[in-house]
């Protein structure tokens, strides 16, 4: 249709291709190879010193299906799908290993309506349409497989998931066919105001070899035009069937990418993180003609003891230039032992983050830990054998956070008022013991209920009544926390001792 569009696209791209790749630095090592990092040599990443191919040409063909329009391709009218055809060619430039820009030319034809316009209209009310289009667009290309690749993933890969999005100019001729015949309904020429469109989608690439990739794409094209489907004028009977103002379609394609340049690997298949590790191996195993390690290398990490800041690096650990074991996520666990290299986590969890538990579940665990806290007889003094349980309870609260109310209970035996006072003092004593272990004083409060909630009768044995002598823990929401007192009793005032004057001796 508009062949000039393709000529313009190629004219814009050919001069730039001539400047691609002007130096060679190919590794002779077995790893990394063309399926991973491509080169073991390190040089400045400039136009004068490139080590990767970063240009390619892509071609493909597929099937467009009108999806959102007054006349659609997907089971419209007669309940069948009407398939068109499409083809594309693009000039692709990789900016980094995870991002590139594509200049793309598309050509195709959509078919929509009640019947295929190649056939005769089945009746007087049936409407069929077809739209021939040409488009030029500039697409951003995100390589999700490289963008999300783990730093400790040393295996080569040949599949890559790409995402595309961009805008361009669209030219088309829309035809409509009825029982009266076929006619041209709308024509939009390129580079005109109102001919802009956008498209976005995803593609899955497979690396056949260092020169060729196969890619399947699914793109969604938003034309921004209500007349693209061949419905005619915006106020025509056909275009009043639905209220949308943009006719949109899916375009599924299968294509090939031909990578240009003289280097072993393409930038979009390069993993720079692998190369860092590989280069360390090369340096560690490289034979030196002169003696540079006068003090030797005690830990065999490839860094001389003369400037090694960590002389006891574990065997097998990767190190930086100062001989310090690498800790990519800076969580205190070196990569050798870190099971989550890119995500910080505590040492006790092998460098992986610990998911915080639900605060109500935390309260249950703390209460279970405090189940066997022992006090001196008839006192609120905690006995030393309870220290380990208090330590554990404090660590659980520190780890999971939250505000908690500790409630003291007694059994039913004894004076009610005395039991109430004792339960309050003991609950407060537990709170105080936890706060001395580093718990913030604003997250724990106490109260006592005495024997009010006791369930074991007074006639039961002491061992049986022990079930009622406990401290329970409850998580309190922030909205209710301020209404609760720190503790529910006042400390008894200290009485001053009054010294009596010595009695005067009677005179005889």
């Amino acid at each position: 249709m508009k062949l000039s569009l393709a000529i313009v696209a190629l004219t814009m791209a050919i001069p730039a291709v001539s400047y691609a790749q002007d130096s060679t630095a190919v590794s002779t090592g077995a790893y990394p190879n063309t399926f991973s990092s491509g080169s073991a040599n390190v040089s400045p990443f400039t136009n004068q010193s490139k080590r990767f191919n970063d240009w390619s040409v892509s071609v493909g063909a597929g099937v467009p299906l009108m999806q959102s329009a007054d006349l659609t391709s997907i089971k419209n009218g007669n309940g069948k799908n009407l398939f068109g055809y499409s083809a594309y060619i693009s000039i692709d430039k990789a900016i980094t290993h995870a991002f590139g820009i594509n200049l793309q030319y598309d050509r195709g034809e959509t078919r929509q309506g009640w019947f295929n316009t190649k056939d005769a209209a089945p009746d007087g009310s049936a409407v069929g349409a077809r739209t021939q289009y040409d488009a030029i667009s500039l697409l951003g290309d995100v390589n999700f497989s490289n963008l999300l690749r783990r730093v400790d993933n040393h295996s080569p890969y040949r599949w890559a998931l790409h995402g595309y999005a961009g805008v361009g100019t669209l030219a088309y001729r829309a035809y409509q066919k009825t029982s009266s015949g076929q006619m041209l309904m709308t024509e939009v020429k390129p580079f005109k105001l109102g001919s802009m469109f956008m498209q976005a989608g995803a593609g899955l690439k497979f690396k056949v070899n260092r020169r060729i990739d196969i890619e399947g794409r699914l793109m969604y094209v938003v034309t921004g035009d209500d007349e693209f489907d061949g419905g005619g004028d915006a106020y025509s009977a056909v275009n009043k069937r639905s209220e949308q103002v943009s006719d949109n379609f899916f375009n599924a394609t299968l294509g090939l990418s031909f990578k240009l340049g003289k280097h072993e690997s393409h930038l979009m298949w390069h993993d720079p993180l692998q190369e860092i590790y590989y280069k360390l191996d090369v340096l560690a195993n490289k034979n030196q003609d002169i003696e540079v390690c006068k003090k030797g290398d005690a830990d065999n990490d490839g860094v001389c003891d003369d400037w090694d800041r960590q002389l006891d690096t574990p065997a097998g650990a990767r190190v930086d230039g100062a001989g310090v074991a690498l800790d990519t996520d800076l969580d205190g666990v070196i990569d050798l032992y870190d099971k989550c290299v890119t995500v910080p986590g505590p040492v006790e969890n092998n460098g992986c983050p610990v998911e915080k538990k639900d605060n109500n579940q935390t309260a249950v665990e703390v209460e279970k830990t405090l189940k066997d806290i022992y006090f001196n007889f008839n006192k609120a003094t905690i006995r030393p054998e309870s220290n380990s349980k208090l330590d554990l309870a404090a660590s659980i609260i520190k780890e999971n956070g939250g505000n908690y109310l500790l409630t003291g209970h007694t059994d039913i035996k004894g004076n009610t008022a005395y039991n109430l006072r004792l339960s309050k003092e003991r609950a407060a004593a537990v709170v105080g013991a936890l706060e001395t272990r580093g718990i913030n004083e604003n997250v724990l409060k106490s109260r006592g209920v005495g024997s009010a909630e006791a369930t074991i009768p007074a006639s039961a044995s002491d061992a049986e009544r022990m079930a009622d002598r406990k401290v329970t823990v409850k998580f309190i929401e922030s909205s209710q926390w301020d209404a609760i007192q720190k503790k529910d009793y006042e400390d008894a005032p200290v009485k001053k001792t009054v010294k009596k004057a010595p009695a005067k001796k009677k005179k005889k």
Side-chain angles (χ1 to χ4, degrees), residues 117-247:
T117 54
K118 293 183 177 180
D119 304 326
D123 54 57
S125 62
V127 178
R130 63 186 179 91
T131 305
Q132 297 175 341
Y133 66 88
D134 294 84
I136 292 179
S137 57
L138 191 64
L139 300 176
D141 176 3
V142 178
N143 185 345
F144 289 107
S145 295
N146 254 345
L147 186 66
L148 304 177
R149 190 166 171 81
R150 286 175 57 94
V151 68
D152 58 346
N153 188 345
H154 288 230
S155 62
Y157 67 104
R158 300 180 71 166
W159 293 92
L161 178 64
H162 287 246
Y164 302 96
V167 297
T169 179
L170 179 69
Y172 69 88
R173 293 167 62 90
Y175 299 88
Q176 185 182 113
K177 184 175 183 179
T178 63
S179 58
S180 301
Q182 180 175 271
M183 65 189 76
L184 174 65
M185 302 301 294
T186 308
E187 181 177 9
V188 174
K189 296 184 177 181
F191 305 109
K192 300 291 185 181
L193 185 65
S195 69
M196 299 297 292
F197 81 105
M198 60 182 177
Q199 60 177 326
L204 184 62
K205 280 190 176 183
F206 175 73
K207 185 172 186 177
V208 178
N209 54 43
R210 60 184 290 264
R211 289 299 182 192
I212 300 176
D213 296 340
I214 297 177
E215 180 180 22
R217 286 190 195 177
L218 180 62
M219 303 293 290
Y220 190 69
V221 181
V222 180
T223 68
D225 191 339
D226 193 23
E227 301 178 16
F228 182 86
D229 62 350
D233 183 76
Y235 300 99
S236 66
V238 173
N239 273 342
K240 289 182 180 180
R241 295 182 65 237
S242 62
E243 297 180 357
Q244 91 287 340
V245 295
S246 174
D247 296 335

Side-chain angles (χ1 to χ4, degrees), residues 418-438:
Y418 174 80
N419 286 342
L420 179 61
R421 175 72 182 192
L422 182 62
S423 66
K424 293 178 179 181
E425 292 178 349
R426 287 185 169 179
V430 174
V431 169
L434 293 174
E435 289 175 350
T436 62
R437 287 162 169 79

Side-chain angles (χ1 to χ4, degrees), residues 55-337:
W55 288 92
S56 60
V57 175
S58 299
V59 295
V63 177
L65 289 170
M66 191 72 69
Q67 179 265 336
S68 176
D70 300 284
L71 299 174
T72 67
S73 307
I74 305 173
K75 295 185 178 180
N76 185 30
N78 63 356
K80 296 181 179 179
N81 298 324
L82 299 178
F83 298 99
Y85 65 87
S86 67
Y88 72 87
I89 180 172
S90 68
I91 305 298
D92 311 328
K93 166 68 174 176
I95 308 299
T96 71
H97 71 290
F99 179 73
I101 295 178
N102 303 344
L103 180 64
Q104 181 168 306
Y105 168 68
D106 291 271
R107 184 170 189 175
E109 178 178 291
T110 64
R111 294 169 182 164
Q112 54 273 354
W114 276 262
F115 63 95
N116 194 322
T117 54
K118 293 183 177 180
D119 304 326
D123 54 57
S125 62
V127 178
R130 63 186 179 91
T131 305
Q132 297 175 341
Y133 66 88
D134 294 84
I136 292 179
S137 57
L138 191 64
L139 300 176
D141 176 3
V142 178
N143 185 345
F144 289 107
S145 295
N146 254 345
L147 186 66
L148 304 177
R149 190 166 171 81
R150 286 175 57 94
V151 68
D152 58 346
N153 188 345
H154 288 230
S155 62
Y157 67 104
R158 300 180 71 166
W159 293 92
L161 178 64
H162 287 246
Y164 302 96
V167 297
T169 179
L170 179 69
Y172 69 88
R173 293 167 62 90
Y175 299 88
Q176 185 182 113
K177 184 175 183 179
T178 63
S179 58
S180 301
Q182 180 175 271
M183 65 189 76
L184 174 65
M185 302 301 294
T186 308
E187 181 177 9
V188 174
K189 296 184 177 181
F191 305 109
K192 300 291 185 181
L193 185 65
S195 69
M196 299 297 292
F197 81 105
M198 60 182 177
Q199 60 177 326
L204 184 62
K205 280 190 176 183
F206 175 73
K207 185 172 186 177
V208 178
N209 54 43
R210 60 184 290 264
R211 289 299 182 192
I212 300 176
D213 296 340
I214 297 177
E215 180 180 22
R217 286 190 195 177
L218 180 62
M219 303 293 290
Y220 190 69
V221 181
V222 180
T223 68
D225 191 339
D226 193 23
E227 301 178 16
F228 182 86
D229 62 350
D233 183 76
Y235 300 99
S236 66
V238 173
N239 273 342
K240 289 182 180 180
R241 295 182 65 237
S242 62
E243 297 180 357
Q244 91 287 340
V245 295
S246 174
D247 296 335
N248 309 326
F249 63 91
F250 286 105
N251 191 15
T253 59
L254 183 64
L256 297 174
S257 291
F258 301 94
K259 290 164 283 189
L260 308 177
K262 57 189 176 182
H263 300 290
E264 290 294 320
S265 180
H266 192 274
L267 183 56
M268 275 290 190
W269 291 100
H270 170 62
D271 179 10
L273 296 174
Q274 281 191 1
E275 185 170 348
I276 294 173
Y277 278 163
Y278 179 73
K279 186 59 182 177
L280 291 173
D281 286 340
V282 172
L283 293 175
N285 298 323
K286 189 173 183 180
N287 294 325
Q288 301 292 335
D289 296 331
I290 59 174
E291 183 182 359
V292 295
C293 292
K294 294 182 179 180
K295 295 182 180 180
D297 182 9
D299 52 9
N300 294 316
D301 61 356
V303 179
C304 297
D305 292 349
D306 304 68
W307 54 82
D308 196 334
R309 292 171 51 195
Q310 188 180 66
L311 296 174
D312 58 348
T313 304
R318 308 284 184 172
V319 297
D320 60 17
V324 178
L326 293 180
D327 180 10
T328 303
D329 53 14
L330 303 176
D331 60 358
V333 182
I334 64 174
D335 293 355
L336 179 65
Y337 304 132

